[in-house]
Amino acid sequence: HNNYSDNPSANGVETFYYSKENECDYGIYSEDLAKMIQKEMVKSLGLFDRGAKSEPAYAVLNKTVMPAIIIEGAFLSNDENLELMMTDEFRELYALSAAKSIVKILNDSVRD
């Protein structure tokens, strides 16, 4: 997903999560995944770190029973972010960062 703001100077990566009581049943926690992906995205993409944030109001997060996150890779409303998003390199790094983090958290969940 990518972000948008009425403020054209808003930029960077942010990841949203909503922790649920039953996440322990999955061995994966939304907050842990969000923080891991956020860190990897900032490192790989070199964009401003807007942080991993709890967002209980988002239906896509609060209506699921399993762990869930939303990655906001950059801002469509920021000309510099948009220019980056239009490159193959950005899209590859975005996908690779998300995939690496998901694989790592899945591996960690079965090691315990």
Side-chain angles (χ1 to χ4, degrees):
H1 204 256
N2 290 302
N3 225 332
Y4 182 86
S5 174
D6 289 334
N7 177 357
S9 66
N11 72 91
V13 179
E14 63 189 332
T15 307
F16 295 102
Y17 66 93
Y18 175 58
S19 298
K20 301 157 195 78
E21 287 184 29
N22 69 326
E23 287 185 338
C24 61
D25 296 343
Y26 293 89
I28 297 171
Y29 298 88
S30 297
E31 182 177 6
D32 295 342
L33 178 58
K35 288 179 178 179
M36 184 180 297
I37 284 183
Q38 180 68 23
K39 183 178 178 182
E40 185 64 33
M41 287 283 191
V42 169
K43 182 176 102 178
S44 295
L45 299 175
L47 293 175
F48 177 71
D49 186 353
R50 296 178 61 91
K53 303 169 184 172
S54 178
E55 189 49 74
Y58 290 170
V60 71
L61 299 177
N62 70 30
K63 301 295 184 206
T64 62
V65 294
M66 78 287 279
I69 64 165
I70 299 172
I71 305 167
E72 298 284 358
F75 279 79
L76 294 165
S77 52
N78 179 293
D79 289 340
E80 291 173 7
N81 279 196
L82 181 58
E83 187 176 326
L84 284 173
M85 285 188 279
M86 300 301 289
T87 67
D88 289 339
E89 182 182 16
F90 179 90
R91 290 189 293 269
E92 288 289 325
L93 289 172
Y94 187 119
L96 184 59
S97 297
K100 282 172 53 176
S101 298
I102 292 167
V103 167
K104 181 175 181 351
I105 205 149
L106 285 170
N107 284 337
D108 290 350
S109 75
V110 296
R111 284 192 188 120
D112 297 335

